[in-house]
Amino acid sequence: MRDLNRLIRYLAYTLELLVLFMLQETPGLLPAIYGVRPVLVLPAGLAIAMFEEETPAMAFGIAAGLFCDFGYSGVLGFHGLLLGVLGYFLSMLVRTRMQVNWVTALLTGILALGLVIGAQWLFFYYFRYSMPGYAFRHHYLPKYLYTLLFVPLVYLLNRGLADALVSADNQGF
């Protein structure tokens, strides 16, 4: 029965990533604030990592990162590598040192999203173009803050999914 719950959970995570990717890539669906739209699969990959063991967390981090790569049409694998490593270490950190609650989700979202979007700015803009401070303030920082707004919502979605499947597993379904 545990394998069936695991399979259902993994299918739900996959469907979640697909739906969030479609939402973020649909023009005009989410309003653009300061000319940027949120990257919804980033907090989803991090939230999934908080509820899974290290290997599945890394796999879903890679999947979320590849969705980001497809959406940005940048270097294929850049975000996959970053989110895979972040997912693995976040899952390991949650399993050994931290409790899973909305405060830790928000704190890890602040740090991890800062790392990912900071790496985007560093590698995709800073090393290529002039005036990196202007691009950071007018594009990357608003994208970071707008994406950060969705961390609690995605956390609550994944918390509800994890609680529902754990309680179903404990009841013997």
Side-chain angles (χ1 to χ4, degrees):
M1 200 42 83
R2 291 185 190 274
D3 289 337
L4 180 62
N5 269 348
R6 182 177 294 159
L7 177 65
I8 291 170
R9 197 171 60 238
Y10 292 170
L11 288 173
Y13 290 149
T14 304
L15 183 63
E16 174 189 1
L17 288 174
L18 284 170
V19 167
L20 289 175
F21 178 70
M22 287 188 290
L23 287 175
Q24 84 181 25
E25 294 299 317
T26 303
L29 187 61
L30 294 173
I33 297 177
Y34 293 110
V36 297
R37 293 183 303 173
V39 185
L40 300 177
V41 294
L42 289 179
L46 298 173
I48 291 169
M50 293 184 79
F51 297 106
E52 289 299 321
E53 294 177 358
E54 289 87 357
T55 304
M58 181 177 60
F60 282 108
I62 290 170
L66 288 176
F67 279 131
C68 285
D69 289 334
F70 294 149
Y72 288 140
S73 67
V75 178
L76 187 63
F78 177 79
H79 293 94
L81 178 67
L82 275 175
L83 285 177
V85 170
L86 282 173
Y88 181 85
F89 285 115
L90 180 58
S91 177
M92 187 172 54
L93 187 65
V94 164
R95 299 239 173 268
T96 59
R97 303 276 183 234
M98 294 187 330
Q99 294 181 354
V100 179
N101 57 34
W102 70 272
V103 175
T104 57
L106 190 60
L107 290 175
T108 56
I110 289 169
L111 292 173
L113 289 175
L115 285 172
V116 172
I117 293 178
Q120 283 177 357
W121 171 73
L122 186 67
F123 290 110
F124 294 150
Y125 196 88
Y126 184 79
F127 290 135
R128 289 183 171 179
Y129 303 105
S130 63
M131 299 184 62
Y134 180 83
F136 183 78
R137 282 189 311 274
H138 290 90
H139 180 72
Y140 290 97
L141 189 60
K143 179 171 42 172
Y144 168 72
L145 295 173
Y146 197 10
T147 304
L148 198 59
L149 291 175
F150 290 93
V151 169
L153 297 173
V154 173
Y155 167 77
L156 290 174
L157 173 73
N158 286 299
R159 169 58 102 186
L161 178 65
D163 288 346
L165 290 174
V166 167
S167 66
D169 193 33
N170 291 337
Q171 293 175 0
F173 289 111

